[in-house]
Amino acid sequence: MTPERERVLLYAFGHGHGELAQRIRQLGYETLVENEPRAAAAGVARPLEPVRAILLPADFALPQRGGELDQLTRAAGSAGLRFVVVGERPATGALGLLRDKNVRLCLWSPFHERELRFVLNRALFDPTRGFYDSEQPDVRHDLRVPTSLGA
């Protein structure tokens, strides 16, 4: 995977996205920031430079704003889209609402750069692109995590 070509969208963070956006840029990813659903959907739908991962704040208002996530998923089409929730761990009920909207990845504060890189790589992984290791012809289906990743 070549991070310099990967685009990550920070959605609905308001003005609290600066430090996170900077950390993502330092890892080599292009970072887009949107707070409006239509602008975010337009960025996701660009066929030559699609967004495949969207980071959401942990306090994203569900179910009130659930239609926005549906709109973003439709905009991605067959390219697919993965949501990552970032911030302070919400209450159990909010976690259930996130799972209901197909949010499967999270980064609970505080997190290290290696955890951020791991989760971004997981969100951006596309098995149809092939591999850099020509010796490995198949996708590895086992979930792998860094041994130093905190629980």
Side-chain angles (χ1 to χ4, degrees), residues 13-132:
F13 277 87
H15 295 291
H17 67 273
E19 180 188 347
L20 179 59
Q22 181 63 29
R23 289 175 73 180
I24 293 170
R25 283 187 200 100
Q26 288 174 345
L27 293 175
Y29 297 95
E30 182 180 348
T31 306
L32 307 172
V33 179
E34 288 294 346
N35 289 308
E36 297 298 321
R38 286 187 183 162
V44 167
R46 293 176 62 181
L48 297 178
E49 297 177 318
V51 170
R52 301 199 45 240
I54 295 182
L55 278 64
L56 304 166
D59 61 356
F60 189 78
L62 285 175
Q64 299 87 344
R65 296 182 72 181
E68 294 174 28
L69 300 185
D70 296 336
Q71 180 182 4
L72 293 169
T73 301
R74 283 191 305 274
S78 64
L81 186 63
R82 293 192 181 106
F83 295 105
V84 179
V85 176
V86 180
E88 296 297 322
R89 185 183 182 103
T92 305
L95 290 173
L97 292 172
L98 290 166
R99 277 191 294 275
D100 291 345
K101 283 297 178 182
N102 206 27
V103 177
R104 299 288 183 255
L105 299 170
C106 59
L107 277 168
W108 304 136
S109 296
F111 53 88
H112 192 274
E113 268 65 26
R114 68 181 169 260
E115 296 162 327
L116 177 59
R117 180 185 299 278
F118 175 80
V119 170
L120 288 175
N121 283 336
R122 178 89 167 114
L124 293 166
F125 177 69
D126 180 1
T128 65
R129 287 187 176 170
F131 300 92
Y132 288 111

